[in-house]
């Protein structure tokens, strides 16, 4: 297989690079309202509502979380507490990277410009990026794009800012629902799926699959 040489490599941040603790926190704050056997279903519902909240007109991420928690609470038949969504929002900037990320990124960053496209607020993401162990050429947020992934508008904002099209870029993500499906529709030159375990693989929406970011240098021939 020939090696694709991208002009830029774009990444999803939370889940792909940063260890995503959303469901972990939800299990903690629903612990006094739901029995242990209901927690897996609650996490599934919470995930679905977060995606649904991201599909409409842009709104601050704090509202996305509040609405998703409110709708999850209703679906599960338990009390809604606005403080739950706020607690998650405040915690996001404290989350650190997966162990494989700094080493993998550091082998690439001085050779191919790295870019982040994230469903985050500007005030949140800086602290997370500082923990990734490699310099990023650009960091773009849903707040700046005024759209959340998986909407094409978020990706189109990135293309406009970089002054290039998707055909010269590689996109790396551990999510099909938020990233890889749209990356396929937009025609990225290469789509790399990171199998973190929170979504099953789908060969129709990825070119290459790797288990962690430590494998990414080999994908680009480094």
């Amino acid at each position: 297989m020939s090696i694709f040489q991208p002009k830029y490599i774009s990444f999803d941040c939370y889940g792909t690079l940063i260890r995503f603790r959303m469901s972990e926190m939800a299990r903690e704050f629903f612990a006094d309202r739901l029995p242990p056997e209901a927690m897996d279903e609650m996490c599934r519902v919470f995930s679905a509502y977060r995606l649904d909240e991201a599909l409409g007109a842009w709104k601050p991420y704090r509202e996305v979380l509040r609405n998703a928690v409110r709708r999850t609470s209703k679906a599960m038949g338990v009390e809604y507490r606005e403080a739950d969504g706020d607690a998650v929002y405040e915690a996001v900037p404290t989350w650190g990277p997966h162990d494989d990320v700094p080493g993998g990124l550091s082998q690439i960053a001085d050779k191919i410009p790295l870019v982040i496209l994230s469903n985050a607020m500007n005030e949140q993401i800086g602290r997370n990026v500082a923990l990734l162990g490699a310099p990023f050429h650009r960091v773009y947020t849903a707040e700046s794009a005024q759209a959340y992934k998986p909407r094409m508008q978020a990706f189109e904002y990135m293309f406009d800012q970089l002054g290039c099209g998707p055909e010269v870029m590689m996109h790396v993500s551990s999510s099909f629902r938020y990233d890889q499906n749209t990356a396929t529709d937009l025609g990225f030159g290469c789509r790399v799926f990171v199998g973190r375990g929170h979504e099953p693989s789908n060969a129709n929406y990825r070119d290459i699959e790797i288990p962690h970011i430590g494998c990414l240098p080999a994908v680009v021939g480094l």
Side-chain angles (χ1 to χ4, degrees):
M1 183 181 67
S2 61
I3 293 176
F4 178 71
Q5 297 290 340
K7 184 174 182 178
Y8 299 102
I9 304 176
S10 55
F11 294 84
D12 165 59
C13 185
Y14 301 105
T16 303
L17 302 179
I18 294 293
R19 189 169 71 86
F20 200 57
R21 297 190 57 224
M22 196 74 68
S23 292
E24 181 181 329
M25 290 192 68
R27 289 175 184 271
E28 293 173 1
F29 59 65
F30 275 110
D32 65 343
R33 283 165 281 172
L34 288 171
E37 59 270 20
M39 287 300 179
D40 286 348
E41 176 63 8
M42 179 274 297
C43 288
R44 184 194 68 78
V45 171
F46 185 35
S47 176
Y49 279 131
R50 292 199 310 274
L51 176 62
D52 190 64
E53 287 291 325
L55 295 177
W58 183 86
K59 52 184 172 283
Y61 194 57
R62 189 185 294 272
E63 291 183 26
V64 169
L65 290 175
R66 285 176 174 175
N67 291 344
V69 173
R70 174 180 51 79
R71 296 170 74 184
T72 300
S73 299
K74 181 179 179 181
M76 300 301 295
V78 298
E79 175 193 1
Y80 164 62
R81 299 171 189 166
E82 187 174 275
D84 294 336
D86 289 345
V88 176
Y89 182 88
E90 299 297 337
V92 168
T94 70
W95 297 345
H98 293 283
D99 291 341
D100 52 87
V101 167
L105 294 181
S106 65
Q107 297 178 55
I108 304 173
D110 63 341
K111 301 172 183 67
I112 303 172
L114 308 182
V115 177
I116 282 176
L117 179 63
S118 176
N119 281 358
M121 297 288 286
N122 295 336
E123 69 177 8
Q124 291 179 304
I125 199 166
R127 289 174 61 187
N128 301 114
V129 174
L131 299 173
L132 294 177
F136 276 78
H137 175 68
R138 294 287 187 274
V139 176
Y140 302 121
T141 67
E143 180 180 8
S144 295
Q146 291 291 285
Y148 290 101
K149 299 178 297 179
R151 292 193 61 203
M152 288 184 177
Q153 181 180 329
F155 290 87
E156 290 167 341
Y157 175 82
M158 176 175 67
F159 303 148
D160 289 344
Q161 297 301 305
L162 292 174
C164 71
E167 69 278 358
V168 300
M169 296 184 63
M170 173 182 288
H171 192 64
V172 181
S173 175
S174 61
S175 174
F176 288 98
R177 295 200 299 172
Y178 282 95
D179 287 85
Q180 301 291 18
N181 295 358
T182 307
T184 299
D185 290 340
L186 287 170
F188 270 79
C190 185
R191 301 149 301 151
V192 178
F193 174 63
V194 185
R196 295 292 188 193
H198 52 260
E199 290 188 24
S201 183
N202 186 329
N204 294 317
Y205 292 97
R206 51 101 172 136
D207 296 304
I208 297 169
E209 180 170 347
I210 58 176
H212 54 75
I213 298 298
C215 298
L216 189 60
V219 173
V220 293
L222 298 176

